[in-house]
Amino acid sequence: MNELPNHRWLHRFAVLTALATLALIGLGGLVTSHEAGMSVPDWPNSYGYNMFLFPPSKWIGGILYEHTHRLLASMVGLLVVALTRWLAGHASRRPLVIVGLLEMVAGILILVLKPDLKATGWFLAGIGGIVLLAGLVWFRNEAAPRPLPLLGWIALVAVQIQGLLGGLRVVMFKDQIGIFHATLAQLFFVLLCAIALLTSKWWRRVEIPKSEIRNPKLGPAPVVFLATTVLILFQLVLGATMRHQHAGLAIHDFPLAYGKLWPATDAASVAHYNEQRVEIFDINPITAFQIELQMVHRIIAGLILCAVAFCAWQAWRKYSLRHPLTKLAAGWLGLILCQVALGAATILSGKAADIATAHVLVGALSLATGALLSIIAARFPQRVAGVSPAEAIPAGQQAIHLKHAMDAGSAGKMPAAR
């Protein structure tokens, strides 16, 4: 991989964007936990005000959570546009200008021809103007190595879709859109974490000393990490479905379910459950489907715990304790244990907002950790024992190493061993 332009600051900016996205996910969790998703009924304005001019004196109750969520989402959008421009280099200026102009024109046409879709029109016109401005910024920076420019463009598309879904969730008042919005938020966070990893100095120069490999024949293949990560993603989708269907407390006890290992879900039993429920947030009666959904959620949580524990154990068997995979796998297991505890606490606390939000945040971190482990595990076999010295050197440094070797040879000296 070639040396990144301004790699240190690019990596820091990617990390900042990922952290801002994590904060946005947490704030979104607070919105859902406080049932504040419709506290501001219009979009992209806030009670008729321009979003950025909405008086702070009106930020009260659920409005505080929903409005600050919108403001932070706007900031993340700006960061992603800048990150895309940085990753794709000066060659991205023309595509950004074209995309920005097309979005602005599309937004204006929607405002003129489809007044009932004016919210979408204003959104497209606004985001188009930002993209256009990014294309007009004149910096002759080189593009980052592949696949980083492509990942930047994907992030740009994803953040715009995410913003549109968030707005449509308000104006169309559909819980199904909220589920897609929450799922895309998790995938978007994973994408930004991957960009942060690939722009890091560690990723470009990492090597694995033979001393850190205890048994090359043991340890989970990258596909095991990936399969476990996909299972976590599925679990997060189930969790988002429960939150947006207001079924987070479809079962109010733990570890049993209505006093049983598997609760009865016949019509009479469900009617009895609804008669005994005492909840503040949920106003709709629960259904048999919601009860079964939460039971599936619990079962998959157990499967994830076993799968991550297996991955951590296998990584420990193959590598030394100092190896990055071993450390990261151990941290992954810690996150899953914390997630299980937070899930139980969410139920036992009656879905307390701070605990439920922490549950969402740790879930996002667990998914991102699994994705990063999958990426790292896929690369490490190219860096293990048995490769030649030239192969052990990152690609961007091989030419420099060869030059040093030639200079040393001409001086009658041998290059120092790496």
Side-chain angles (χ1 to χ4, degrees), residues 172-255:
M172 298 181 68
F173 198 62
K174 288 186 178 295
D175 289 333
Q176 296 87 340
I177 296 178
I179 297 172
F180 285 106
H181 183 62
T183 302
L184 181 57
Q186 300 285 349
L187 294 173
F188 180 64
F189 177 59
V190 168
L191 174 61
L192 292 177
C193 288
I195 292 174
L197 172 66
L198 297 181
T199 54
S200 67
K201 181 179 178 180
W202 178 86
W203 176 259
R204 299 192 309 277
R205 299 184 179 181
V206 62
E207 298 175 18
I208 303 180
K210 295 182 179 181
S211 60
E212 292 189 11
I213 303 177
R214 301 167 64 182
N215 192 333
K217 297 182 180 180
L218 297 177
V223 67
V224 179
F225 287 112
L226 181 60
T228 305
T229 303
V230 171
L231 186 61
I232 293 175
L233 175 61
F234 180 68
Q235 177 77 328
L236 295 180
V237 174
L238 287 181
T241 303
M242 291 193 300
R243 289 196 307 276
H244 289 277
Q245 288 192 350
H246 313 286
L249 289 180
I251 302 173
H252 61 78
D253 53 340
F254 182 87

Side-chain angles (χ1 to χ4, degrees), residues 17-30:
T17 307
L19 290 176
T21 302
L22 180 62
L24 181 60
I25 291 174
L27 196 50
L30 281 175

Side-chain angles (χ1 to χ4, degrees), residues 109-152:
L109 288 177
I110 290 175
L111 288 172
V112 174
L113 302 177
K114 295 287 186 179
D116 53 324
L117 299 176
K118 64 178 182 179
T120 303
W122 282 117
F123 174 80
L124 284 175
I127 194 67
I130 295 172
V131 173
L132 174 62
L133 181 61
L136 295 177
V137 173
W138 192 88
F139 286 115
R140 293 196 58 83
N141 63 303
E142 295 298 326
R146 295 180 181 178
L148 284 168
L150 176 60
L151 296 181

